Amino acid sequence: MAQRGQGQEPPYRRIAAEIRRRIDLGELRPGDRVPSARQLTREHGVAIATATRVLALLRTEGLVLTRPGAGTVVAEPRREPGRAEPELSRDRVLRTAVALADEGGLAAVSMRQIAGELGVATMSLYRHVRGRDELILAMADAVLADAPLPAAEPAGWRARLDVLARAQWAVYRRHPWVPHVISIARPQPLPHGMAHTDRALRATAGLGLEPQVRWHVAVTLMAYVKGIATNLEMGAQAVQDTGLSHEQWVDRQQATFQQLMAGGGLATMDALTAGGVDLDLESVFDFGLRRLLDGFAALVEGRPGVSPGR
């Protein structure tokens, strides 16, 4: 492994210096986006941890900040001495953490980075959250709160479950890190997450199903949506890392796939891809959800009162 020569700047400082220079020259003005952590990994060939450290250093220096919905942008010049900063609150801490996670994933979220972004001492954050574990759960609940379920429910159990599943999918698409936080095996005390579970249970009321069956329907539905959604972050990161859309990547791999299929043993796959396949994560989610609800319909309409083990 190559070693850095004595006196040579570490990569994160060199990259930060380049961005700092562009800000000083006015190439990047207040409000302009700076490269995301994933862009830096692609452009400079560094690890995501190094790229995250670049942005953390620039935040500590007050040169950039993370703006929800916009990513990391050039900050306005520092406030004049004596001018009060906005009061620190739990909501500000959560919003800042969510913005960091939306841009760089959960790896980009640390108490130190949040403090640097807010311009406060790290220890001051502990007045609002007890630690990173509590922070991550609170972040997940906050984004669920930002996407409230419709007050008026549609008629019929199937339509209600469909609306619920698609609402969860929409949250996961906006915040691809969330499915990596939500646990099916170990339920978490998330008020807005629990509201989704309650809504799923309420959808099957009056159908003659045993309580255990209603619980299995609710949890299976949420597990399906979460399971598909765990692929969203990986897909987004792949686009960032390669600079290629999913369609462009498949096109570039086409010759390799064809060579593998021509090697034998994959005749069925070869035959079914001959005319092209219209397949993406959205279509897989939609297809699977419809078939899952079809299965629930067979249970509801054909075998009321059945237990989950049968």
Side-chain angles (χ1 to χ4, degrees), residues 198-209:
D198 189 75
R199 181 74 69 101
L201 291 169
R202 194 161 69 236
T204 57
L207 299 178
L209 299 176

Side-chain angles (χ1 to χ4, degrees), residues 275-308:
V277 180
D278 185 13
L279 187 71
D280 58 28
L281 205 56
E282 194 72 41
S283 69
V284 169
F285 167 75
D286 187 71
F287 177 87
L289 176 60
R290 292 176 187 275
R291 303 295 79 78
L292 182 63
L293 294 175
D294 287 345
F296 290 163
L299 176 69
V300 170
E301 297 164 8
R303 303 177 66 189
V306 69
S307 67

Side-chain angles (χ1 to χ4, degrees), residues 1-280:
M1 181 182 294
Q3 293 185 346
R4 180 163 45 92
Q6 186 174 3
Q8 185 178 348
E9 268 195 322
Y12 83 95
R13 287 192 176 276
R14 173 174 51 78
I15 298 169
E18 171 59 21
I19 297 175
R20 192 184 302 112
R21 182 189 67 80
R22 295 178 63 192
I23 294 173
D24 291 342
L25 292 175
E27 295 178 10
L28 292 172
R29 299 177 179 276
D32 288 349
R33 291 193 64 172
V34 300
S36 68
R38 292 189 179 117
Q39 285 175 304
L40 292 176
T41 64
R42 186 174 70 247
E43 294 171 3
H44 296 275
V46 295
I48 188 68
T50 299
T52 300
R53 196 172 181 184
V54 171
L55 298 178
L57 176 60
L58 294 172
R59 289 189 192 99
T60 301
E61 294 175 351
L63 294 176
V64 303
L65 56 84
T66 303
R67 183 173 294 163
T72 300
V73 300
V74 178
E76 295 287 344
R78 290 187 181 274
R79 295 173 179 268
E80 298 175 5
R83 183 176 295 182
E85 294 283 348
E87 182 181 354
L88 187 63
S89 65
R90 181 180 173 89
D91 183 68
R92 284 191 70 210
V93 172
L94 292 179
R95 299 301 168 192
T96 301
V98 167
L100 287 170
D102 287 347
E103 181 188 16
L106 291 174
V109 179
S110 72
M111 303 300 273
R112 182 177 179 181
Q113 288 169 331
I114 295 168
E117 175 67 23
L118 293 172
V120 300
T122 303
M123 291 304 297
S124 66
L125 301 180
Y126 291 93
R127 297 198 302 268
H128 304 282
V129 291
R130 286 179 290 184
R132 189 175 185 276
D133 289 345
E134 179 186 292
L135 171 69
I136 298 298
L137 289 179
M139 289 163 55
D141 204 52
V143 299
L144 288 169
D146 285 343
L149 295 170
E153 297 186 63
W157 67 267
R158 179 167 183 144
R160 291 174 181 176
L161 291 180
D162 184 85
V163 165
L164 180 64
R166 294 183 189 279
Q168 292 168 12
W169 178 248
V171 171
Y172 293 149
R173 284 188 64 86
R174 286 193 295 272
H175 308 281
W177 50 271
V178 177
H180 302 284
V181 176
I182 302 296
S183 173
I184 300 298
R186 293 190 174 189
Q188 299 142 313
L190 304 179
H192 294 95
M194 293 168 68
H196 279 248
T197 304
D198 189 75
R199 181 74 69 101
L201 291 169
R202 194 161 69 236
T204 57
L207 299 178
L209 299 176
E210 294 178 0
Q212 279 287 91
V213 173
R214 292 174 64 186
W215 271 104
H216 277 74
V217 167
V219 174
T220 300
L221 181 76
M222 291 185 289
Y224 169 74
V225 181
K226 167 185 155 62
I228 297 293
T230 56
N231 296 280
L232 291 169
E233 187 170 43
M234 184 182 298
Q237 183 170 346
V239 172
Q240 290 275 9
D241 291 346
T242 64
L244 300 173
S245 69
H246 300 307
E247 293 77 12
Q248 291 170 328
W249 185 86
V250 170
D251 287 343
R252 291 200 179 187
Q253 301 296 320
Q254 194 66 35
T256 303
F257 284 132
Q258 289 176 345
Q259 184 178 8
L260 288 171
M261 287 187 286
L266 301 171
T268 303
M269 182 181 292
D270 191 16
L272 290 178
T273 55
V277 180
D278 185 13
L279 187 71
D280 58 28

